[in-house]
Amino acid sequence: MAKAKKAAKKTSAKKSVRKIARKRAPQGEKRIHATDEETMDQIDSTAKRIYDTIHKSGRPDLKLPIRSLSNVSYDPKRGYLEIGNQNKVRTLSVNTVKNFAQTLRMMSLSKELISNNDFATKREAYYISKNWEEAKFDEQPESDTVMDDIEALFSVEAVNREQLRFYPEEHGGSVSGPLVVIDQDNTGRVARIDCSSFGSGAYSVPTSVEALQFETNADFILLIETGGMFQRLQSHRFWERMNCILVEMGGVPTRAVRRFVRRLADEERIPVYAFVDCDPYGIANIYRTIKVGSGSSAHINKFFCVPSARFLGVTPQDIIDYELPTHKLTDVDIKRAKDALKNDPFFKSHPAWKKAIEQLVKMGVRAEQQALAKWGLNYVIDEYLPQKLEHPDKFLP
Amino acid sequence: MSKGKQGLLFDEGGSSAVKPKAPARKKKAPQTKKSASTRTKAAPRSKKAPGPAPSAESMSKKQREISVSEFFAKNRHLLGFDNPAKALLTTIKELVDNSLDAADEARIPAEVDITIDQISEDRFRVTCTDNGPGIVPKNVPLVFGKLLYGSKFHRLKMSRGQQGIGVSAAGMYGLLTTGHAIRVISRTAKNKPANRFEIAIDTQKNHPAVKKQDEIEWDRPHGTSVEIELEASYRKGHHSVDNYIRQISLANPHATLRYRAPDRANDMDLTVYAGVTNELPPETAEIQPHPYGVELGVLMQMLRETKARTVQNFFHTEFSRVSNKVAGDIAKLARVPANRKPAKVDRKEAEALHKAIPQTKIMAPPTDCIAPIGEELLEKALTSIHPAEFITATTRRPVVYRGNPFLVETAIAYGGAELSADDAAIVYRYANRVPLQYQHGACAISKAVAATDWKKYGLQQPKGSVPVGPMVLMVHIASVWVPFTSESKEAIAHYPEIIKEIKLGLQDCGRKLGAHVRRKRRDADEEKKRSYITKYIPHVATALQEILELSDKDRERTVVTLTDVLERSRKM
Ligand SMILES: Nc1ncnc2c1ncn2[C@@H]1O[C@H](COP(=O)(O)OP(=O)(O)OP(=O)(O)O)[C@@H](O)[C@H]1O
Ligand SMILES: [Mg+2]
């Protein structure tokens, strides 16, 4: 079912949705996430270990992997930023007792949610903590951090925040194109959603995508940075013309969008192309996160990135080739670019990227994807994208 | 000697606000057209006024002596009488200074009664009665009716007064504003009668005009009572008389002050500051000038006037701490024969001698000429006034500026309910046990306080100013001659030696305070951590109970064990 070779050639419109048999996940993939049983076991055994240590008059501890770019490695064969083995051990002491209390209460809440087959949004969890008297959280970032800690604590066992039943607030991005999503809501009703029939609107990725099933015969997935560009391609039925699925990311995509695209790409074996602004943020933050994940959530990158993604544009060379209007790089831009060159294991291991970023810094300018409008509003649809899609082999890794 | 400069009473322009009587001095105000034109007619600016030009002769007719008292009548601000509120404070200050000086010198534990009565809206009567040695009747008129008359100017001795102006200026101010003469009762011994006086001042002649004098019955065996009626206003607050008297008691822990404010209901309603010690301040000796810092001109004058026969003998007898050997060393170093007659020393040789002085090692001036309040008494007195949580004081060793020994004392009261943590520290300035109330901006003490790095001691300090915190800073300078910036004795001149000593004293107190502040923070931290244990352990146990479905008993057992574990780990 490899369709990559076709993708570049497709220029004519095709029938958007073709119902095909549901595909199974590729064999041999390690378990993606823990079952509810396993998650509750994790919580129980952690609590038990702490309880036992206390009653042996010892001081219990929690071993948390360090979540930052300094503790990740990148192997292009594996395809994602992998968390290293640096841990911080948090031992129960006068200084950490508050954090221990909050972490344990949060774990207890998680267990309760699982046994009731319910969930709490991150914000709701924060409000639930208001019942915990002194152990309550003052601000939501504090409870978010504790959730991340628990997730990292259990990451070896493939327990994600979603398995802990804490859901993010943000919505996933918009999707349109030849794709049917088969979903099931809490009541168990099954819905078949045709992503080509939203008119001028679009399907929106739900917060938890693990149970979704897909049917598609699209040739590729195009990830688009801005809502404006998505709007243009969507309303001109670009997806129909190129037989592709359009996904709007709205900046750095949420976990759900990343996971959605990852599953779609893996299970349906469709190539993924990213179309973002040509600036250090578009490259080093948005694209890098889709492709290999991020430093701060390194413990979950394995599942929440799309290693097969490739960079369509806008490339620094495009700025020259298409004579795009530009803005000067800001100090922040330059710092971000230099940082990527120096500290980011992903860029460091791809000479093509090194060259491109160095070129950008040298040019000292950036260009937005919508700058293509200089040549006419639909230039992007009629010329730029088709031209680029002729040579997917030339996309940056 | 170095009084020379101090003695020049009039060369210093008053920096305080002047209310000039003479319109000629006024800045040209915007004028109406009419007056402008008349003015132009009368006196064209660049041209000569009509009439004959003044000649030396005509001018000489206008040249005449200005009496000191006349001068001061016009320039009362120079003495601290610039406004009614300040006039009241200055009057009380001069009276109390004199009473304490007299009692200390006579070695009598001072007891001073101060009363203020309000006679009308802006008129007050101030009475100050002491148990001092009294004043012999023949001197009373001069003491109170003649400016620049006193016992303290022509000597180097630590005392509150030093100029011989104070009380007569207050009396003159009263006379000028109310027409009432100063009233004095004084008695020198039990077997002598008490004398009552009413003394006005002839400002033309700077001479007392005794209006009344009689002998009276007085219930005190000795002492002096002075009463002045004056135009004034009584206020509360920082510059208030109430506050001032409190501050006097702080620097004079041996004295007892009884004070009745004008708003008190009756005569018996007194504020009493009882002395916190029975010991009098150590008796202070009068000293000779110390050679370090003597000015060349003064040295030359001393050489001319001395009774000594030789240069060596001159240094030995006229200066303090100069032994015969040291005197010889100075002469030798200056290459001036030690047996040269002082009067024969020429300018060049005098210069050489003057240069030789700082190069010769001379003992510091005797310390018995200055009586510090002392660390212990400072702390005691400060405690009785500001019941703070931390009090410390430092008395520095005497050093010299311009040949005058002086010493610095500093004290800090920190914390406690009375003091606000968000305000700038309250600074109490003292010179020879006298509080300084005005002109803090011009004072060396304020400068030294601001120049000290208080952040080192855990306090906040806006750049270049007084630290912020719940504290009172006290700085006392004791000297045989305090260098004030003006006759109103409100601010101390910025001698580098003095500023350096103040800073060293403040740093010493600051270090002790810093240790306290840090200890306090540590304790608060400890306390917080302790409360952490009791606050959060139950939550650890509750969560474990929920997850592991423990019994209540197990939960309680967990709380107890974990508390124990943490308490133990904290002690390690
Ligand atoms: N209450 C008193 N008891 C005894 N002697 C007094 C008293 N008040 C003043 N005298 C004497 O009168 C003198 C003049 O006092 P006055 O206040 O005018 O000057 P001063 O104290 O010498 O100097 P200053 O001008 O600095 O105050 C003093 O030097 C002192 O000898
Ligand atoms: Mg006096």
Side-chain angles (χ1 to χ4, degrees), chain A residues 43-44 47-48 51 54-55 57-59 92-95 97-98 101 104-105 108 111 132-135, chain B residues 529 532-533 535-537 539-540 542-544 546-548 550 554 557-558 561-562 565-566 568-570:
Chain A
I43 294 172
D44 285 352
K48 185 88 178 68
Y51 180 80
I54 292 171
H55 286 284
S57 289
R59 291 161 64 199
L92 181 47
S93 70
V94 178
N95 292 320
V97 65
K98 179 177 182 185
L104 285 169
R105 294 216 68 154
S108 169
K111 187 178 172 184
W132 302 347
E133 292 150 2
E134 296 93 341
Chain B
K529 283 184 177 169
Y532 256 49
I533 293 183
K535 250 190 199 167
Y536 297 115
I537 283 180
H539 288 280
V540 171
T542 302
L544 290 174
E546 284 169 7
I547 297 170
L548 301 174
L550 304 173
D554 271 346
R557 220 163 48 86
T558 305
T561 312
L562 189 52
V565 168
L566 287 192
R568 233 181 314 123
S569 77
R570 221 158 57 90

Side-chain angles (χ1 to χ4, degrees), chain B residues 148-165:
Chain B
L148 295 176
Y149 179 90
S151 55
K152 307 166 197 168
F153 187 79
H154 298 276
R155 68 179 193 190
L156 280 178
K157 186 178 192 305
M158 177 182 167
S159 57
R160 295 167 184 81
Q162 57 188 27
Q163 299 170 148
I165 310 175

Side-chain angles (χ1 to χ4, degrees), chain A residues 306-369:
Chain A
V306 188
S308 65
R310 314 259 301 166
F311 190 86
L312 175 148
V314 177
T315 65
Q317 188 59 38
D318 287 345
I319 294 180
I320 299 166
D321 294 348
Y322 291 88
E323 296 171 35
L324 296 180
T326 58
H327 296 276
K328 268 183 97 132
L329 288 180
T330 63
D331 291 347
V332 179
D333 285 333
I334 293 167
K335 190 183 168 293
R336 190 171 273 140
K338 298 233 159 110
D339 237 36
L341 289 171
K342 213 175 119 221
N343 301 322
D344 197 311
F346 169 68
F347 294 110
K348 284 206 295 196
S349 62
H350 286 289
W353 267 121
K354 255 187 95 179
K355 242 173 79 188
I357 295 173
E358 274 162 4
Q359 183 186 11
L360 186 69
V361 173
K362 210 161 138 213
M363 287 158 63
V365 292
R366 61 187 173 86
E368 292 168 7
Q369 43 182 196

Side-chain angles (χ1 to χ4, degrees), chain B residues 71-85:
Chain B
F71 177 86
F72 274 123
K74 277 191 174 164
N75 295 284
R76 49 173 84 155
H77 58 276
L78 290 179
L79 291 173
F81 295 92
D82 7 0
N83 63 60

Side-chain angles (χ1 to χ4, degrees), chain B residues 94 97-98 101 152 160-162 164-167 489:
Chain B
E94 295 301 345
D97 281 2
N98 284 353
D101 267 351
K152 307 166 197 168
R160 295 167 184 81
Q162 57 188 27
I165 310 175
V167 76
K489 302 192 283 189

